[in-house]
Amino acid sequence: MPLLAIVYFSISGTTETLAHAVARGAAEMAEIALCRIVGDDIVAGRFRNARLVETIDRASAVAFGSPTYMGGPAAQFKAFADASSDRWSQQRWASKIAAGFTTGACAGGDQLHTLTYFSILAAQHGMLWCGLDIPGGEDPSGRNRLGSQLGLATHLVDGALPQSDLITAEYLGQRLANMVGRNDRVGAMRSTFSPSP
């Protein structure tokens, strides 16, 4: 089974709840590595957790998660992203499938900017982006409640994540795992039909 690394920072537990929902959605089709960024990973302002980065090296897919703070990802997530530049210079994560999820204080709390940041980070690494294919406001079960096609954006309602957002997170995990399977099959077909050197 392919490995899905879910790399996230969570301070209050909300983003962690989303990370676990993404994992549930992918669990039947992928091995899951929950990679939580913690304060001890940041030393003198620099992310230092070689084991977490090596997990991404082995993964076929990565889901990035962070709360949206002041219009972007948390500083702890950004420290991880900055430290990934060693992998970027070698394009070690190229062709992996990537997706993103975030939560904010308000429905219009600039979560899209965090998702855009994740997609640009993925593009820098040569990764392939997986968004949501659920038209916002059109799903009978209320998935993709805030209507973000780039990834999962949510916010707390009465102090809790809406069930529809947790279902959307599960769907994002399932979609990501499905795309890994398709990508692997295409890669296998290409190697079968590649002319000999």
Side-chain angles (χ1 to χ4, degrees), residues 51 53 71 88 92 112 138 146 175 195:
R51 198 171 84 185
V53 175
W88 165 79
R92 299 225 353 228
L112 180 60
E138 301 291 328
L146 297 186
R175 179 165 161 75

Side-chain angles (χ1 to χ4, degrees), residues 175 177-187:
R175 179 165 161 75
N178 276 331
M179 286 187 74
V180 169
R182 287 183 197 152
N183 196 40
D184 288 349
R185 286 190 297 277
V186 168

Side-chain angles (χ1 to χ4, degrees), residues 11 15 32-33 63 76 82 86 89 100 105 114 125 134 159 179 190:
I11 195 162
T15 306
I32 307 297
Q76 293 87 342
D82 290 350
D86 293 340
S89 63
T114 300
H125 282 286
I134 303 167
M179 286 187 74
R190 283 189 180 141

Side-chain angles (χ1 to χ4, degrees), residues 88-108:
W88 165 79
S89 63
Q90 302 164 22
Q91 289 293 283
R92 299 225 353 228
W93 297 347
S95 299
K96 295 178 187 296
I97 309 294
F101 57 96
T102 187
T103 185
C106 305

Side-chain angles (χ1 to χ4, degrees), residues 116-166:
T116 301
Y117 178 85
F118 293 155
S119 69
I120 292 171
L121 174 63
Q124 289 272 322
H125 282 286
M127 302 167 95
L128 308 171
W129 190 254
C130 170
L132 284 173
D133 61 347
I134 303 167
E138 301 291 328
D139 187 68
S141 61
R143 295 177 304 173
N144 196 12
R145 179 176 60 91
L146 297 186
S148 174
Q149 302 306 133
L150 195 56
L152 173 59
T154 185
H155 77 294
L156 298 179
V157 176
D158 297 326
L161 282 169
Q163 186 62 31
S164 62
D165 293 352
L166 294 172

